[in-house]
Amino acid sequence: QGRLVESGGGSVEAGGSLTLSCVVSGFTFVNQCFSWFRQAPGKEREGIAALYTGDGMTYYTDSVKGRFTISQDSAQNTVLLHMNSLKADDTATYYCAVDPVCNTLVNKWYWNALAAWGQGTLVTVSS
């Protein structure tokens, strides 16, 4: 059974930075799409970034473009989300997911099509 474990969340002041990690096990890491989405209290899930490990192609939603970077550490089977210039609106629980169809790479977030996601890690940004 595949598993994804997110970590790295915490509390930070506006303008600060955090790096989230997602360790992947039980899923093929090579030539695979992974994505990050978030959910704030009382709000719907929001897809924010995706990565294809085969060629490094990425997608970012407008609200995080230029501030967040998704990357991979293939030696550690880990997907990273580097977050800079954090804002209060970024406060949410962040999840990473496996997307075998790579829909998220073209900004199509079909939650039922994701193979799995982790338990999430909470990011709190104070203004």
Side-chain angles (χ1 to χ4, degrees):
Q1 185 76 10
R3 190 175 178 217
L4 300 94
V5 179
E6 304 95 337
S7 63
S11 296
V12 63
E13 291 186 354
S17 300
L18 280 175
T19 295
L20 307 183
S21 297
C22 173
V23 178
V24 180
S25 60
F27 291 102
T28 299
F29 194 84
V30 176
N31 296 334
Q32 181 75 274
C33 281
F34 295 94
S35 56
W36 286 92
F37 64 93
R38 65 188 180 186
Q39 188 163 25
K43 295 188 177 181
E44 294 186 354
R45 281 177 283 195
E46 178 189 18
I48 58 173
L51 167 73
Y52 176 59
T53 60
D55 61 6
M57 181 178 287
T58 57
Y59 161 80
Y60 299 96
T61 194
D62 286 346
S63 63
V64 307
K65 198 174 295 182
R67 300 188 299 122
F68 292 9
T69 302
I70 186 171
S71 66
Q72 61 177 302
D73 180 347
S74 56
Q76 301 293 327
N77 276 12
T78 299
V79 181
L80 303 163
L81 185 68
H82 309 275
M83 306 186 297
N84 296 319
S85 303
L86 283 162
K87 307 173 182 179
D89 285 348
D90 295 318
T91 295
T93 298
Y94 285 71
Y95 302 85
C96 70
V98 182
D99 178 14
V101 187
C102 290
N103 287 322
T104 56
L105 203 60
V106 290
N107 193 25
K108 295 188 184 299
W109 297 83
Y110 304 129
W111 308 112
N112 290 338
L114 300 177
W117 54 85
Q119 82 291 345
T121 186
L122 177 63
V123 173
T124 303
V125 184
S126 58
S127 57

